Amino acid sequence: YERTLSRRFLDGVATLQGVQVWGITDGPRLGDRTPTFALTSDRRSPQELARRLGEAGILAWDGHFYAKALIERLGLVDTGGVLRLGFVHYTTTDEVDRTLDELETILAR
């Protein structure tokens, strides 16, 4: 079920211009990852995205998540790290869609 959520999220986020998902994104390898995603945008900082998603009632986090060396190596320290979104077995597909819709709205502003 979590792979289904992952695929739905990845398909949707791929349509958002300027958004990069860090990590495994190809369908055949979804079993090699958890449905937790690190994102960056070329238009909004991770902090702004997390704040605005939170204002919309969607839990999101920003920063380095104790993986500071990785964030440094990826060159993301100066831009605030990544936005982190996670889905679990009790997340609905409607919630995934709502998250994608809200991201699209935030990025369009």
Side-chain angles (χ1 to χ4, degrees), residues 18-58:
V19 174
Q20 179 170 349
V21 177
W22 297 88
I24 297 169
T25 59
D26 54 321
R29 293 197 52 217
L30 289 181
D32 295 337
R33 66 164 303 145
T34 63
T36 302
F37 301 94
L39 312 171
T40 53
S41 165
D42 64 0
R43 290 178 273 175
R44 303 282 184 260
S45 70
Q47 182 181 30
E48 180 183 356
L49 291 170
R51 178 182 55 79
R52 304 238 340 241
L53 287 168
E55 289 169 356
I58 297 169

Side-chain angles (χ1 to χ4, degrees), residues 68-80:
K68 191 173 179 184
L70 174 62
I71 296 301
E72 288 172 350
R73 183 154 185 196
L74 294 173
L76 300 173
V77 172
D78 293 339
T79 55

